[in-house]
Amino acid sequence: MESLKIQEYMNHYPVTFTETMSVEEATIRFLKTKQIGGPVVDQNYKVLGFISEGDVLEKMLETIYFNENVAIIKDIMSKQVLSVKPYDSIIELGQSMRKNKPKVYPVIDDDGNLLGTIARNEVLQACYKHGKARSSIEKEHASV
C-alpha cells in the first residue's frame, strides 16, 4: 500500500478561491460544488491559504446577526496550510488525517503551485480499492 501515491486519487479540478472574493461568493461556490474546503490561490495558482465551509459558515452567521457583509476571504482564510505533494504516500496521509483537523489537503508541486486537492473520502476510497484488490488476490492464492 505504501506505493499508492496521492496523484492517483487526488481531485484534479478542485474548487478554488481568491483573497478578494466575498464571503457570499465563497458560500455560493461551496453550495454549487458541494466541496467542504478549498485552497485560496493567486492568479498563478500559488497557494496562499485555505478556506473551509466552517470558516464561511461562521462569517455568514455573523453577517446575519449583525446585518452587514464586509468580509472577504483574505480576512478569514487560514494562512498556515497543511499540504501534500503528488508523490506522497496515501497511507502516510491517511495516518496524518487521523491526527490533524483538515479533511481536505491542497496537493502542490515543489514550487507551491496548486495541482489539485485530496480529501478524506478519496483516501478512504484508495484504501478500500487496495483492500478489495488484495482480498481478491488472497482468495485466488488460497484456491490454488
Side-chain angles (χ1 to χ4, degrees):
M1 187 98 152
E2 283 295 324
S3 65
L4 291 179
K5 301 298 179 201
I6 288 171
Q7 64 195 6
E8 298 171 43
Y9 292 92
M10 68 186 220
N11 174 0
H12 293 273
Y13 304 101
V15 61
T16 60
F17 303 88
T18 63
E19 288 185 305
T20 57
M21 184 179 285
S22 72
V23 171
E24 184 178 1
E25 189 178 350
T27 300
I28 293 167
R29 192 164 285 188
F30 275 128
L31 292 172
K32 283 182 178 179
T33 63
K34 298 193 185 322
Q35 292 190 37
I36 60 171
V40 179
V41 296
D42 66 13
Q43 64 275 10
N44 298 315
Y45 280 85
K46 186 152 197 98
V47 176
L48 306 172
F50 194 86
I51 192 82
S52 72
E53 254 181 344
D55 298 328
V56 172
L57 177 60
E58 184 178 339
K59 191 48 86 174
M60 287 299 288
L61 290 170
E62 282 179 30
T63 298
I64 291 168
Y65 184 77
F66 293 111
N67 199 27
E68 56 184 56
N69 188 10
V70 293
I72 58 172
I73 295 304
K74 184 177 183 175
D75 298 334
I76 63 171
M77 72 181 192
S78 299
K79 292 181 178 101
Q80 299 295 323
V81 180
L82 291 176
S83 61
V84 294
K85 305 288 187 188
Y87 47 78
D88 288 344
S89 163
I90 287 280
I91 292 298
E92 289 175 18
L93 176 58
Q95 290 170 341
S96 176
M97 285 179 152
R98 290 180 23 211
K99 298 173 192 148
N100 295 316
K101 184 180 176 182
K103 296 175 185 170
V104 180
Y105 286 71
V107 180
I108 60 171
D109 65 16
D110 292 330
D111 296 321
N113 298 310
L114 183 68
L115 300 173
T117 58
I118 188 151
R120 217 171 21 188
N121 64 353
E122 291 154 340
V123 173
L124 184 60
Q125 178 185 22
C127 293
Y128 174 75
K129 204 171 179 181
H130 182 74
K132 195 171 177 182
R134 196 169 86 197
S135 175
S136 176
I137 290 169
E138 287 172 0
K139 283 181 186 176
E140 232 177 79
H141 286 285
S143 67
V144 174

